[in-house]
Amino acid sequence: MCTSVSGNTVTLSANATATGAATLTFGARSVEAAISTIAVTAVNDAPVLANAGAGATFTENGAAQVVNASLSLTDLDDTNIESATVWVENFVAGDTLAVGTAGGLTVTFNSSTGVLTLNGSASKAVYETALR
C-alpha cells in the first residue's frame, strides 16, 4: 500500500498484488472532533491469461492437438470466469476448434469465422481445462 499526502488529502493506492481489506488509521492534531468520509472505489480487474503465446503444431487432417497444456488463468478479484473467446489465426474454411472437457460450459464454434466462444460462470480451473 502506498500513500501520499497533499494538504488535507490523503491518497491510498494498493499495489498490483494487494488483496483483501486495508485499514487506515490516522489521528488529528486538533482537540475538536472531526468526521471523515473515506470513499473506496472497487475496480474490476480483468482476468489474465499466462503462457497463451505457445501453441501446438497441427498437421492438416491429423489428430486433434492440445493447444497449450501450460496455459494458466488468474483473476485477482473473482473466483469465477463468465466467458472466453478463442479464434483460429489465419483461419481457412474447414478449420475447427473444439473443447474436449467443457465442464458445464456452453461452447459454440462459428465455422464461418473460426471463433470459439465459452459461456457460463465456472471456476478458473474449469476454464483453464477447456482452453488448453
Side-chain angles (χ1 to χ4, degrees):
M1 176 102 23
C2 142
T3 62
S4 66
V5 179
S6 176
N8 293 329
T9 302
V10 177
T11 303
L12 301 174
S13 301
N15 63 32
T17 59
T19 59
T23 302
L24 170 62
T25 304
F26 64 95
R29 293 187 177 174
S30 170
V31 293
E32 296 177 26
I35 298 175
S36 296
T37 301
I38 299 174
V40 178
T41 304
V43 176
N44 184 10
D45 295 313
V48 176
L49 197 57
N51 299 322
T57 301
F58 178 76
T59 303
E60 186 175 2
N61 297 320
Q65 298 290 315
V66 172
V67 175
N68 187 342
S70 63
L71 178 137
S72 66
L73 183 61
T74 57
D75 191 345
L76 293 176
D77 59 1
D78 199 352
T79 56
N80 282 350
I81 304 295
E82 281 61 53
S83 66
T85 303
V86 181
W87 60 92
V88 177
E89 192 169 291
N90 301 318
F91 175 73
V92 176
D95 289 346
T96 60
L97 283 175
V99 172
T101 305
L105 301 173
T106 300
V107 180
T108 56
F109 179 69
N110 184 325
S111 60
S112 298
T113 62
V115 175
L116 177 86
T117 305
L118 308 172
N119 283 299
S121 185
S123 71
K124 290 175 268 196
V126 167
Y127 271 87
E128 281 180 344
T129 300
L131 291 168
R132 289 179 176 160

